[in-house]
PDB file of all heavy atoms in Angstrom:
ATOM      1  N   SER M 174      17.513  -5.766 -18.255  1.00  0.00           N
ATOM      2  CA  SER M 174      18.483  -6.166 -17.224  1.00  0.00           C
ATOM      3  C   SER M 174      18.282  -5.354 -15.947  1.00  0.00           C
ATOM      4  O   SER M 174      18.430  -5.881 -14.837  1.00  0.00           O
ATOM      5  CB  SER M 174      19.912  -5.985 -17.746  1.00  0.00           C
ATOM      6  OG  SER M 174      20.149  -6.842 -18.842  1.00  0.00           O
ATOM      7  N   SER M 175      17.954  -4.067 -16.121  1.00  0.00           N
ATOM      8  CA  SER M 175      17.655  -3.247 -14.937  1.00  0.00           C
ATOM      9  C   SER M 175      16.473  -3.814 -14.172  1.00  0.00           C
ATOM     10  O   SER M 175      16.477  -3.863 -12.932  1.00  0.00           O
ATOM     11  CB  SER M 175      17.342  -1.803 -15.352  1.00  0.00           C
ATOM     12  OG  SER M 175      18.472  -1.168 -15.896  1.00  0.00           O
ATOM     13  N   ALA M 176      15.451  -4.228 -14.913  1.00  0.00           N
ATOM     14  CA  ALA M 176      14.255  -4.763 -14.264  1.00  0.00           C
ATOM     15  C   ALA M 176      14.580  -6.037 -13.478  1.00  0.00           C
ATOM     16  O   ALA M 176      14.088  -6.226 -12.352  1.00  0.00           O
ATOM     17  CB  ALA M 176      13.187  -5.042 -15.313  1.00  0.00           C
ATOM     18  N   ILE M 177      15.399  -6.922 -14.073  1.00  0.00           N
ATOM     19  CA  ILE M 177      15.776  -8.148 -13.359  1.00  0.00           C
ATOM     20  C   ILE M 177      16.572  -7.825 -12.103  1.00  0.00           C
ATOM     21  O   ILE M 177      16.335  -8.393 -11.026  1.00  0.00           O
ATOM     22  CB  ILE M 177      16.578  -9.078 -14.301  1.00  0.00           C
ATOM     23  CG1 ILE M 177      15.675  -9.625 -15.415  1.00  0.00           C
ATOM     24  CG2 ILE M 177      17.220 -10.220 -13.518  1.00  0.00           C
ATOM     25  CD1 ILE M 177      16.400 -10.474 -16.440  1.00  0.00           C
ATOM     26  N   TRP M 178      17.516  -6.890 -12.218  1.00  0.00           N
ATOM     27  CA  TRP M 178      18.345  -6.505 -11.063  1.00  0.00           C
ATOM     28  C   TRP M 178      17.477  -5.897  -9.960  1.00  0.00           C
ATOM     29  O   TRP M 178      17.616  -6.242  -8.782  1.00  0.00           O
ATOM     30  CB  TRP M 178      19.405  -5.509 -11.522  1.00  0.00           C
ATOM     31  CG  TRP M 178      20.445  -5.206 -10.481  1.00  0.00           C
ATOM     32  CD1 TRP M 178      21.630  -5.860 -10.275  1.00  0.00           C
ATOM     33  CD2 TRP M 178      20.387  -4.163  -9.494  1.00  0.00           C
ATOM     34  NE1 TRP M 178      22.321  -5.297  -9.239  1.00  0.00           N
ATOM     35  CE2 TRP M 178      21.585  -4.250  -8.730  1.00  0.00           C
ATOM     36  CE3 TRP M 178      19.459  -3.174  -9.182  1.00  0.00           C
ATOM     37  CZ2 TRP M 178      21.846  -3.380  -7.680  1.00  0.00           C
ATOM     38  CZ3 TRP M 178      19.718  -2.310  -8.136  1.00  0.00           C
ATOM     39  CH2 TRP M 178      20.898  -2.401  -7.400  1.00  0.00           C
ATOM     40  N   ILE M 179      16.582  -4.991 -10.340  1.00  0.00           N
ATOM     41  CA  ILE M 179      15.698  -4.341  -9.363  1.00  0.00           C
ATOM     42  C   ILE M 179      14.763  -5.368  -8.729  1.00  0.00           C
ATOM     43  O   ILE M 179      14.510  -5.349  -7.513  1.00  0.00           O
ATOM     44  CB  ILE M 179      14.892  -3.212 -10.036  1.00  0.00           C
ATOM     45  CG1 ILE M 179      15.824  -2.052 -10.392  1.00  0.00           C
ATOM     46  CG2 ILE M 179      13.759  -2.720  -9.143  1.00  0.00           C
ATOM     47  CD1 ILE M 179      15.175  -0.984 -11.243  1.00  0.00           C
ATOM     48  N   ASP M 180      14.234  -6.277  -9.542  1.00  0.00           N
ATOM     49  CA  ASP M 180      13.315  -7.288  -9.025  1.00  0.00           C
ATOM     50  C   ASP M 180      14.004  -8.176  -8.001  1.00  0.00           C
ATOM     51  O   ASP M 180      13.385  -8.606  -7.020  1.00  0.00           O
ATOM     52  CB  ASP M 180      12.799  -8.128 -10.194  1.00  0.00           C
ATOM     53  CG  ASP M 180      11.702  -9.092  -9.781  1.00  0.00           C
ATOM     54  OD1 ASP M 180      10.620  -8.609  -9.373  1.00  0.00           O
ATOM     55  OD2 ASP M 180      11.912 -10.312  -9.868  1.00  0.00           O
ATOM     56  N   LYS M 181      15.286  -8.422  -8.220  1.00  0.00           N
ATOM     57  CA  LYS M 181      16.027  -9.321  -7.329  1.00  0.00           C
ATOM     58  C   LYS M 181      16.525  -8.625  -6.065  1.00  0.00           C
ATOM     59  O   LYS M 181      16.449  -9.196  -4.969  1.00  0.00           O
ATOM     60  CB  LYS M 181      17.210  -9.927  -8.102  1.00  0.00           C
ATOM     61  CG  LYS M 181      18.019 -10.945  -7.312  1.00  0.00           C
ATOM     62  CD  LYS M 181      19.118 -11.549  -8.177  1.00  0.00           C
ATOM     63  CE  LYS M 181      19.925 -12.579  -7.392  1.00  0.00           C
ATOM     64  NZ  LYS M 181      21.015 -13.190  -8.218  1.00  0.00           N
ATOM     65  N   PHE M 182      17.013  -7.380  -6.206  1.00  0.00           N
ATOM     66  CA  PHE M 182      17.684  -6.733  -5.082  1.00  0.00           C
ATOM     67  C   PHE M 182      16.869  -5.622  -4.419  1.00  0.00           C
ATOM     68  O   PHE M 182      17.195  -5.213  -3.301  1.00  0.00           O
ATOM     69  CB  PHE M 182      19.029  -6.156  -5.543  1.00  0.00           C
ATOM     70  CG  PHE M 182      20.011  -7.199  -5.990  1.00  0.00           C
ATOM     71  CD1 PHE M 182      20.290  -7.383  -7.334  1.00  0.00           C
ATOM     72  CD2 PHE M 182      20.645  -8.019  -5.068  1.00  0.00           C
ATOM     73  CE1 PHE M 182      21.195  -8.337  -7.751  1.00  0.00           C
ATOM     74  CE2 PHE M 182      21.556  -8.982  -5.475  1.00  0.00           C
ATOM     75  CZ  PHE M 182      21.831  -9.150  -6.823  1.00  0.00           C
ATOM     76  N   GLU M 183      15.838  -5.112  -5.048  1.00  0.00           N
ATOM     77  CA  GLU M 183      15.088  -4.003  -4.466  1.00  0.00           C
ATOM     78  C   GLU M 183      13.584  -4.275  -4.360  1.00  0.00           C
ATOM     79  O   GLU M 183      12.952  -3.942  -3.356  1.00  0.00           O
ATOM     80  CB  GLU M 183      15.304  -2.713  -5.287  1.00  0.00           C
ATOM     81  CG  GLU M 183      16.728  -2.202  -5.236  1.00  0.00           C
ATOM     82  CD  GLU M 183      16.875  -0.860  -5.954  1.00  0.00           C
ATOM     83  OE1 GLU M 183      15.838  -0.271  -6.338  1.00  0.00           O
ATOM     84  OE2 GLU M 183      18.020  -0.395  -6.125  1.00  0.00           O
ATOM     85  N   ALA M 184      13.004  -4.868  -5.401  1.00  0.00           N
ATOM     86  CA  ALA M 184      11.548  -5.018  -5.436  1.00  0.00           C
ATOM     87  C   ALA M 184      11.065  -6.304  -4.782  1.00  0.00           C
ATOM     88  O   ALA M 184       9.844  -6.489  -4.639  1.00  0.00           O
ATOM     89  CB  ALA M 184      11.053  -4.955  -6.881  1.00  0.00           C
ATOM     90  N   ASP M 185      11.987  -7.180  -4.421  1.00  0.00           N
ATOM     91  CA  ASP M 185      11.626  -8.430  -3.753  1.00  0.00           C
ATOM     92  C   ASP M 185      10.588  -9.217  -4.557  1.00  0.00           C
ATOM     93  O   ASP M 185       9.611  -9.733  -4.009  1.00  0.00           O
ATOM     94  CB  ASP M 185      11.094  -8.142  -2.343  1.00  0.00           C
ATOM     95  CG  ASP M 185      11.049  -9.405  -1.478  1.00  0.00           C
ATOM     96  OD1 ASP M 185      11.827 -10.348  -1.772  1.00  0.00           O
ATOM     97  OD2 ASP M 185      10.231  -9.450  -0.552  1.00  0.00           O
ATOM     98  N   GLY M 186      10.791  -9.277  -5.898  1.00  0.00           N
ATOM     99  CA  GLY M 186       9.914 -10.074  -6.759  1.00  0.00           C
ATOM    100  C   GLY M 186       8.640  -9.386  -7.199  1.00  0.00           C
ATOM    101  O   GLY M 186       7.806  -9.998  -7.883  1.00  0.00           O
ATOM    102  N   ALA M 187       8.461  -8.105  -6.858  1.00  0.00           N
ATOM    103  CA  ALA M 187       7.210  -7.402  -7.193  1.00  0.00           C
ATOM    104  C   ALA M 187       7.041  -7.228  -8.700  1.00  0.00           C
ATOM    105  O   ALA M 187       5.921  -7.319  -9.224  1.00  0.00           O
ATOM    106  CB  ALA M 187       7.174  -6.041  -6.502  1.00  0.00           C
ATOM    107  N   LEU M 188       8.137  -6.944  -9.413  1.00  0.00           N
ATOM    108  CA  LEU M 188       8.036  -6.774 -10.865  1.00  0.00           C
ATOM    109  C   LEU M 188       7.741  -8.105 -11.549  1.00  0.00           C
ATOM    110  O   LEU M 188       6.940  -8.167 -12.496  1.00  0.00           O
ATOM    111  CB  LEU M 188       9.330  -6.167 -11.419  1.00  0.00           C
ATOM    112  CG  LEU M 188       9.649  -4.728 -11.009  1.00  0.00           C
ATOM    113  CD1 LEU M 188      10.984  -4.283 -11.614  1.00  0.00           C
ATOM    114  CD2 LEU M 188       8.538  -3.778 -11.451  1.00  0.00           C
ATOM    115  N   GLY M 189       8.383  -9.164 -11.087  1.00  0.00           N
ATOM    116  CA  GLY M 189       8.141 -10.479 -11.670  1.00  0.00           C
ATOM    117  C   GLY M 189       6.711 -10.940 -11.491  1.00  0.00           C
ATOM    118  O   GLY M 189       6.172 -11.676 -12.328  1.00  0.00           O
ATOM    119  N   ALA M 190       6.086 -10.490 -10.429  1.00  0.00           N
ATOM    120  CA  ALA M 190       4.704 -10.879 -10.172  1.00  0.00           C
ATOM    121  C   ALA M 190       3.717 -10.195 -11.104  1.00  0.00           C
ATOM    122  O   ALA M 190       2.547 -10.579 -11.158  1.00  0.00           O
ATOM    123  CB  ALA M 190       4.341 -10.569  -8.721  1.00  0.00           C
ATOM    124  N   MET M 191       4.190  -9.186 -11.835  1.00  0.00           N
ATOM    125  CA  MET M 191       3.290  -8.408 -12.697  1.00  0.00           C
ATOM    126  C   MET M 191       3.491  -8.705 -14.179  1.00  0.00           C
ATOM    127  O   MET M 191       2.994  -7.959 -15.030  1.00  0.00           O
ATOM    128  CB  MET M 191       3.509  -6.905 -12.462  1.00  0.00           C
ATOM    129  CG  MET M 191       3.205  -6.451 -11.044  1.00  0.00           C
ATOM    130  SD  MET M 191       3.409  -4.677 -10.877  1.00  0.00           S
ATOM    131  CE  MET M 191       2.110  -4.100 -11.949  1.00  0.00           C
ATOM    132  N   VAL M 192       4.184  -9.785 -14.521  1.00  0.00           N
ATOM    133  CA  VAL M 192       4.488 -10.052 -15.931  1.00  0.00           C
ATOM    134  C   VAL M 192       3.235 -10.324 -16.754  1.00  0.00           C
ATOM    135  O   VAL M 192       3.248 -10.177 -17.981  1.00  0.00           O
ATOM    136  CB  VAL M 192       5.472 -11.235 -16.072  1.00  0.00           C
ATOM    137  CG1 VAL M 192       6.824 -10.884 -15.501  1.00  0.00           C
ATOM    138  CG2 VAL M 192       4.899 -12.501 -15.414  1.00  0.00           C
ATOM    139  N   ASN M 193       2.148 -10.698 -16.102  1.00  0.00           N
ATOM    140  CA  ASN M 193       0.902 -10.931 -16.836  1.00  0.00           C
ATOM    141  C   ASN M 193       0.091  -9.657 -17.027  1.00  0.00           C
ATOM    142  O   ASN M 193      -1.014  -9.713 -17.563  1.00  0.00           O
ATOM    143  CB  ASN M 193       0.058 -11.985 -16.104  1.00  0.00           C
ATOM    144  CG  ASN M 193       0.708 -13.358 -16.117  1.00  0.00           C
ATOM    145  OD1 ASN M 193       1.349 -13.743 -17.091  1.00  0.00           O
ATOM    146  ND2 ASN M 193       0.559 -14.097 -15.022  1.00  0.00           N
ATOM    147  N   ASN M 194       0.631  -8.544 -16.576  1.00  0.00           N
ATOM    148  CA  ASN M 194      -0.028  -7.250 -16.752  1.00  0.00           C
ATOM    149  C   ASN M 194       0.962  -6.268 -17.379  1.00  0.00           C
ATOM    150  O   ASN M 194       1.361  -5.287 -16.754  1.00  0.00           O
ATOM    151  CB  ASN M 194      -0.531  -6.728 -15.405  1.00  0.00           C
ATOM    152  CG  ASN M 194      -1.480  -5.553 -15.568  1.00  0.00           C
ATOM    153  OD1 ASN M 194      -1.849  -5.184 -16.691  1.00  0.00           O
ATOM    154  ND2 ASN M 194      -1.867  -4.944 -14.457  1.00  0.00           N
ATOM    155  N   PRO M 195       1.388  -6.543 -18.628  1.00  0.00           N
ATOM    156  CA  PRO M 195       2.460  -5.740 -19.239  1.00  0.00           C
ATOM    157  C   PRO M 195       2.066  -4.297 -19.528  1.00  0.00           C
ATOM    158  O   PRO M 195       2.944  -3.453 -19.720  1.00  0.00           O
ATOM    159  CB  PRO M 195       2.759  -6.492 -20.538  1.00  0.00           C
ATOM    160  CG  PRO M 195       1.492  -7.213 -20.862  1.00  0.00           C
ATOM    161  CD  PRO M 195       0.897  -7.587 -19.545  1.00  0.00           C
ATOM    162  N   ASP M 196       0.767  -3.982 -19.549  1.00  0.00           N
ATOM    163  CA  ASP M 196       0.339  -2.621 -19.859  1.00  0.00           C
ATOM    164  C   ASP M 196       0.902  -1.609 -18.868  1.00  0.00           C
ATOM    165  O   ASP M 196       1.229  -0.475 -19.243  1.00  0.00           O
ATOM    166  CB  ASP M 196      -1.192  -2.524 -19.857  1.00  0.00           C
ATOM    167  CG  ASP M 196      -1.815  -3.322 -20.992  1.00  0.00           C
ATOM    168  OD1 ASP M 196      -1.081  -3.637 -21.951  1.00  0.00           O
ATOM    169  OD2 ASP M 196      -3.011  -3.629 -20.915  1.00  0.00           O
ATOM    170  N   ILE M 197       1.024  -2.002 -17.590  1.00  0.00           N
ATOM    171  CA  ILE M 197       1.475  -1.050 -16.577  1.00  0.00           C
ATOM    172  C   ILE M 197       2.843  -1.396 -15.999  1.00  0.00           C
ATOM    173  O   ILE M 197       3.351  -0.688 -15.141  1.00  0.00           O
ATOM    174  CB  ILE M 197       0.450  -0.937 -15.424  1.00  0.00           C
ATOM    175  CG1 ILE M 197       0.303  -2.288 -14.707  1.00  0.00           C
ATOM    176  CG2 ILE M 197      -0.901  -0.460 -15.956  1.00  0.00           C
ATOM    177  CD1 ILE M 197      -0.548  -2.196 -13.453  1.00  0.00           C
ATOM    178  N   LEU M 198       3.439  -2.502 -16.472  1.00  0.00           N
ATOM    179  CA  LEU M 198       4.713  -2.950 -15.899  1.00  0.00           C
ATOM    180  C   LEU M 198       5.810  -1.904 -16.061  1.00  0.00           C
ATOM    181  O   LEU M 198       6.616  -1.685 -15.150  1.00  0.00           O
ATOM    182  CB  LEU M 198       5.128  -4.275 -16.539  1.00  0.00           C
ATOM    183  CG  LEU M 198       6.395  -4.945 -15.971  1.00  0.00           C
ATOM    184  CD1 LEU M 198       6.275  -5.144 -14.468  1.00  0.00           C
ATOM    185  CD2 LEU M 198       6.641  -6.285 -16.664  1.00  0.00           C
TER     186      LEU M 198
END
């Protein structure tokens, strides 16, 4: 839930763009 909140309000979708690289997410 933290990741979704951060992706929406702070990261501007940067975390969501890395879902295909879970090793470093």
Side-chain angles (χ1 to χ4, degrees):
S174 296
S175 294
I177 292 176
W178 189 90
I179 290 171
D180 187 65
K181 183 177 180 180
F182 296 106
E183 294 185 9
D185 195 25
L188 293 179
M191 298 183 65
V192 294
N193 293 324
N194 193 6
D196 293 341
I197 63 172
L198 185 55

